[in-house]
Amino acid sequence: QVQLVESGGDSVQAGGSLRLSCAASGSTYSNDYMGWFRQAPGKEREGVAVIDIGSGGSYYADSVKGRFAISRDGAKNTVYLQMNSLKPEDTAIYYCARSRGPVVPRFRMRAIAYGYWGQGTQVTVSS
């Protein structure tokens, strides 16, 4: 089993920044993927940014490229999401996720590929 604990959600004005953290514990492996997904009211959960824990390769949704950055701290088994130039449309509950082993490329940004989830943290961006 893997436990994921998120932190860092808050309310900010448009143009502001936030950093989300996700600490993993339990049976983790170096070839897992970790990532951030978000879900706004009435919308499906969507992939925001994911990272290959082993290689450090990172992947982003088009809507956040150039504004968000995902990173990992292997020693702490923690993943971060630095969010800059936030927009009202970034408002959502952000969930940390971890896979059970490697993920094939076409599923990297798909929630179905991730078996472990955090409880979610609210990010609200006001205009």
Side-chain angles (χ1 to χ4, degrees):
Q1 279 291 346
V2 172
Q3 294 78 43
L4 302 174
V5 179
E6 303 128 329
S7 61
D10 206 343
S11 297
V12 296
Q13 290 195 329
S17 298
L18 284 173
R19 190 174 86 149
L20 305 182
S21 300
C22 176
S25 61
S27 300
T28 60
Y29 300 92
S30 61
N31 59 359
D32 293 344
Y33 272 64
M34 282 186 73
W36 292 92
F37 291 73
R38 67 187 181 188
Q39 189 165 18
K43 294 189 176 181
E44 291 187 356
R45 191 170 297 190
E46 62 172 353
V48 176
V50 301
I51 188 166
D52 181 328
I53 295 299
S55 71
S58 55
Y59 309 90
Y60 298 90
D62 288 344
S63 59
V64 306
K65 283 180 181 176
R67 300 189 297 123
F68 290 11
I70 190 170
S71 61
R72 76 202 194 294
D73 182 332
K76 297 181 179 179
N77 217 4
T78 299
V79 167
Y80 305 95
L81 184 68
Q82 178 66 43
M83 304 186 293
N84 299 324
S85 302
L86 283 161
K87 304 176 181 180
E89 50 264 43
D90 294 319
T91 295
I93 299 175
Y94 283 68
Y95 296 92
C96 178
R98 187 160 183 136
S99 68
R100 295 184 178 110
V103 179
V104 297
R106 68 180 183 275
F107 285 111
R108 280 178 192 142
M109 304 298 285
R110 299 277 302 275
I112 194 173
Y114 295 80
Y116 301 105
W117 293 87
Q119 79 284 357
T121 186
Q122 178 71 46
V123 172
T124 303
V125 185
S126 57
S127 57

